[in-house]
Amino acid sequence: MMSKTQICNRCALPATFPGIRFDVSGVCNFCLEFKETAVDPAKKAAYRHKFETLVKEYRGKATYDALMCYSGGKDSTYTLSVLKEKYGLSVLAVTVDNGFISEDAFKNIRTVVKNLAVDHIFLKPRFDVLARIFRHCAGHDIYSRKALERASSICTSCMAIVKYSTLRLALEKDIPMSVYGWSPGQSPVTSSIIKNNPRIVKMMQKSLYNPLYRIAGSDITPYFLEDKHFTGAYRFPYYIHPLAFLGYDEEAVYKNISRFGWKPPGDTDINSTNCLLNSYANMVHKKRLGFHAYAYELSNLIRGGYLARPAALDRLERPENSHIISAVKEKLGI
Ligand SMILES: [Zn+2]
């Protein structure tokens, strides 16, 4: 009989997760060290108030009040609708096309921006450059252990390009708020509003830029900030992750966004509502590191009371769709 990897009785972290220990009742150290204050309603209310103060300060002052990093997935669609409907912001939605947005996700993107009446642009980096990066990450882990606990090398590379190419756009268009649809499992409430400091941005960018530069050289320059962006001539936007302080309930999110014609895609796997590369990235990560790239995030959602443990385990145990995997490999030339 095959022995099964032990999984924490409270969250979804397996014994293969770095630095994990279990107590006598099978509960992991991450759960034991979890502080209820991380999901404290008073803290959420304080951050919501902080956001509403920023909205009052910036709304209507520039061409766009907010840049929304819009993947077309359920979380960013919901966040986009809140910015537009609840807060009346003028939003520029930006989708970075990594070459693996599913057909159904494309349909959702087009339908939602039309029905919500927001300006939208696609940024499409050269596919040969992206493919070189993704192929390399399929064979090697290029980031710190901490980063790999939270996401695969492929997703971290893709997110770096999304994050800095949209930040660059926000700077060049002078947009005061840059908004993400990260779930509360990806971003705790205490870091849901960040006033960007150019010096720190420069340092953080370096930790992602350097590994990518070693793979693709100066071809990645357009997707990151350059020296001129740090000269003081540009206003750095706030980073905002509203789902951390607005409250988050998957059922309610699905129900809400169906009003704008968003439909659950039939062509992606259960862990992503927009990206096909995600399936391949998860498979590679699990094979190499022994745990699922979403184990950390989903465990955070369980502890925060946002997701039931059986639902999380079901997502983590489901094998990747073999059709998606072969299509991705073919497109990457693997
Ligand atoms: Zn646990």
Side-chain angles (χ1 to χ4, degrees):
M1 212 175 96
M2 226 170 71
S3 68
K4 237 173 159 276
T5 308
Q6 183 181 3
I7 296 173
C8 171
N9 285 336
R10 207 173 281 170
C11 70
L13 290 179
T16 43
F17 195 78
I20 201 166
R21 295 181 308 276
F22 297 100
D23 73 359
V24 285
S25 54
V27 175
C28 81
N29 50 316
F30 295 91
C31 282
L32 294 170
E33 288 155 19
F34 175 70
K35 298 205 175 34
E36 288 297 327
T37 52
V39 287
D40 179 10
K43 198 154 265 171
K44 280 189 204 164
Y47 274 83
R48 196 167 57 233
H49 178 75
K50 206 169 158 180
F51 175 59
E52 286 165 0
T53 308
L54 290 178
V55 165
K56 272 191 205 121
E57 186 181 340
Y58 290 117
R59 191 170 43 205
K61 303 270 165 65
T63 309
Y64 293 109
D65 306 319
L67 181 152
M68 175 76 217
C69 293
Y70 185 46
S71 72
K74 66 177 193 323
D75 293 338
S76 66
T77 298
Y78 176 68
T79 308
L80 179 62
S81 76
V82 171
L83 297 182
K84 167 88 187 190
E85 287 195 311
K86 183 167 185 213
Y87 292 105
L89 296 174
S90 156
V91 185
L92 176 64
V94 182
T95 305
V96 177
D97 180 359
N98 65 1
F100 293 96
I101 298 177
S102 85
E103 275 314 311
D104 286 357
F106 268 122
K107 264 183 232 153
N108 278 331
I109 291 169
R110 285 192 294 263
T111 309
V112 168
V113 297
K114 177 171 151 270
N115 291 343
L116 263 179
V118 294
D119 286 348
H120 173 251
I121 49 182
F122 275 113
L123 288 182
K124 183 149 178 53
R126 280 170 54 179
F127 187 71
D128 65 313
V129 174
L130 294 179
R132 216 183 316 156
I133 290 169
F134 297 151
R135 264 197 311 270
H136 184 91
C137 291
H140 313 81
D141 285 317
I142 61 170
Y143 299 106
S144 68
R145 201 191 76 166
K146 264 267 157 309
L148 292 172
E149 288 169 10
R150 285 155 175 73
S152 66
S153 284
I154 291 178
C155 287
T156 302
S157 299
C158 186
M159 271 311 300
I161 290 169
V162 170
K163 194 168 169 178
Y164 291 98
S165 59
T166 55
L167 175 59
R168 181 173 176 144
L169 198 65
L171 292 178
E172 292 174 354
K173 288 191 172 292
D174 195 30
I175 304 175
M177 296 184 277
S178 196
V179 182
Y180 293 84
W182 288 346
S183 81
Q186 290 167 304
S187 162
V189 68
T190 44
S191 50
S192 60
I193 298 178
I194 297 167
K195 170 125 184 72
N196 266 317
N197 169 326
R199 228 167 18 109
I200 294 171
V201 170
K202 199 171 188 175
M203 213 174 65
M204 305 257 284
Q205 173 174 280
K206 215 169 163 183
S207 69
L208 296 161
Y209 179 90
N210 287 356
L212 294 177
Y213 184 86
R214 283 193 282 273
I215 302 166
S218 57
D219 284 343
I220 62 167
T221 306
Y223 321 127
F224 288 87
L225 304 192
E226 298 180 66
D227 287 341
K228 66 174 179 191
H229 295 109
F230 296 104
T231 54
Y234 293 89
R235 164 168 68 167
F236 276 65
Y238 279 87
Y239 274 150
I240 302 170
H241 317 131
L243 294 183
F245 54 78
L246 285 178
Y248 182 79
D249 171 357
E250 275 196 356
E251 289 283 296
V253 164
Y254 279 120
K255 213 169 140 194
N256 185 295
I257 61 181
S258 67
R259 293 185 297 128
F260 318 112
W262 190 94
K263 293 198 180 90
D267 55 357
T268 58
D269 79 14
I270 193 162
N271 283 303
S272 171
T273 48
N274 59 302
C275 180
L276 299 169
L277 181 60
N278 188 276
S279 302
Y280 179 66
N282 288 343
M283 189 192 77
V284 169
H285 184 93
K286 203 160 51 189
K287 225 179 246 174
R288 197 154 59 222
L289 296 158
F291 59 92
H292 199 292
Y294 278 58
Y296 180 84
E297 179 194 343
L298 296 187
S299 294
N300 280 339
L301 287 176
I302 296 170
R303 284 182 219 112
Y306 299 109
L307 181 68
R309 184 172 176 273
L313 292 177
D314 175 48
R315 277 195 214 179
L316 298 174
E317 282 160 10
R318 248 194 247 193
E320 281 75 26
N321 178 320
S322 58
H323 298 291
I324 296 179
I325 299 290
S326 19
V328 169
K329 282 169 85 169
E330 196 187 324
K331 190 160 182 188
L332 286 177
I334 293 174

